[in-house]
Amino acid sequence: MPIIDFLAPHFVWTGDPTAWVALLTLVVLEIVLGIDNLIFISILTNKLPEHQRARARRLGIGAALIMRLLLLATISFIVQLTTPLFTLFDQPFSWRDIILIAGGLFLVWKATKEIHHSVDPDDDKENMIGQTLQLSLSGAIFQILLLDLVFSIDSIITAVGMTDEIAIMYIAVICAVTVMLLAATPLANFIAKNPTIVMLALGFLLMIGMTLIADGMGVHVPKGYIYAAMGFSALVEGLNMLARRKKKKGPADPH
């Protein structure tokens, strides 16, 4: 009974239809925002030995869930991250802006190194992983955690802007991360089996990194434009894959 009494105040919104609409909207939004994180995790874990990939994906996405829930628990602190710290060239910068810029630079560097290695795989000196051709599990988890932090802060600030109900935020985050967990392995396998998709995904990461930098600099690019461009590019690549598959099969035998 005491547990029910404790939880009851957090679920008074269940009788409000607009709250359910907000929950559904936020779940969809959190899933869409998680696509960026998922692409990065898929590309990075595919660098690991095959027997470590699934574990790395589970650990990375599990860490993303824990990080988001912890950030929600300190929501008053997260809101303060948008408070300007200093002004440069008449543009105010907050901790959120600094984190987004740093995360964007990391993504741009990472994607650029990966693209270079894909174009010139024999150039070991410029290999993003250093002197070894395979990434360690701990190294992969560390890099996933860095990007988890950036995407988590952006995700939670979005949630705060959507609703005041903390329970709705928790449910939306848990649902979105669950979808990420279910989609991670199929997406990673699809990327691994289609080399041209790797280059497309790296292009997405490059675009996402530049968008994070622009957002941190105060230039807001509507997410709809970004995801529309990604969707169109994916559609074109899908048509290319279909055309290549038809060519491999050759012309149909009239007899």
Side-chain angles (χ1 to χ4, degrees), residues 90-107:
D90 296 326
Q91 173 62 39
F93 288 88
S94 64
W95 274 115
R96 173 186 175 272
D97 298 327
I98 294 170
I99 291 170
L100 288 181
I101 292 170
L105 289 172
F106 177 74
L107 263 187

Side-chain angles (χ1 to χ4, degrees), residues 122-154:
D122 296 326
D123 188 2
D124 293 340
K125 291 181 180 179
E126 291 297 319
N127 187 358
M128 58 166 280
I129 303 168
Q131 296 179 350
T132 59
L133 291 176
Q134 290 213 318
L135 189 64
S136 69
L137 179 62
S138 58
I141 296 300
F142 176 71
Q143 292 181 49
I144 289 171
L145 284 175
L146 283 180
L147 262 296
D148 276 348
L149 176 62
V150 176
F151 289 125
S152 293
I153 288 175
D154 207 26

